[in-house]
Amino acid sequence: QAIHHPSPKMRRAALRAVLGFDLEEGLKCAGGLLADPDKSLRREATSLIDEKGSDEHVPYFRTLFETEEFIEFDLYEKTNAFVTLLKLAPGRGRRVVMSYASNTGLLGNHLTRTTSCDASHRRGDVSTPSLRNHQRIRTQRRSASPTGTEITRVLQTIYHQQ
């Protein structure tokens, strides 16, 4: 009951109390807090699952990715959730992350441009307008948002391992 209390302090205290007597029950509570409105509590829950969780906690992340709250998370939190999931269950986790990425279009446009530009480069079409445009866009993305570039790299690595 206290896990659903309006106060984040009470929810945090409840999580710690449950963890004190039953790790598995505490991890279930942490799974339920992955989409908590309080950012620090979400990070604590993700960190806890990262440290003590297992592949049986994958469904919590699948549920998290389906929430509207996840869309509002900052890139650090999204990347942290993806990486935690991949550490818990590399195979299953990759499928969940890739499903999220394809359903939201998170990878589609960037990977398509990267793939077409890489193919153009291999063919020797190094001066094509699309390649120059892609290089400009890639440079802008890197300078505008290093965290955004980092999440794209993580997801590209996952994509290419499929």
Side-chain angles (χ1 to χ4, degrees), residues 46 61 64-65 70 74-89 93-94 96-98 100-101 104 106 151-152 154-155 158:
T46 303
F61 287 94
L64 171 67
F65 298 159
F70 190 68
D74 63 35
L75 289 171
Y76 171 82
E77 287 183 283
K78 287 180 181 178
T79 304
N80 199 24
F82 294 145
V83 170
T84 297
L85 175 60
L86 293 169
K87 283 172 58 180
L88 295 176
R94 183 173 18 151
V96 172
V97 171
M98 292 311 298
Y100 171 80
T104 60
L106 187 60
I151 196 170
T152 301
V154 169
L155 293 176
I158 296 162

Side-chain angles (χ1 to χ4, degrees), residues 119-131:
S120 296
H121 187 68
R122 283 193 298 276
R123 285 192 313 263
D125 302 335
V126 292
S127 63
T128 62
S130 65
L131 181 60

Side-chain angles (χ1 to χ4, degrees), residues 117 125-138:
C117 288
D125 302 335
V126 292
S127 63
T128 62
S130 65
L131 181 60
R132 286 193 306 267
N133 187 39
H134 173 71
Q135 289 169 334
R136 183 180 50 76
I137 290 169
R138 182 183 268 174

Side-chain angles (χ1 to χ4, degrees), residues 12 30 33-47 64 69 72-74 77 80:
R12 180 174 282 108
L33 293 172
L34 289 174
D36 194 85
D38 183 68
K39 187 182 217 174
S40 66
L41 194 50
R42 287 193 307 257
R43 287 184 178 182
E44 186 173 331
T46 303
S47 177
L64 171 67
E69 290 85 1
E72 300 301 319
F73 284 16
D74 63 35
E77 287 183 283
N80 199 24

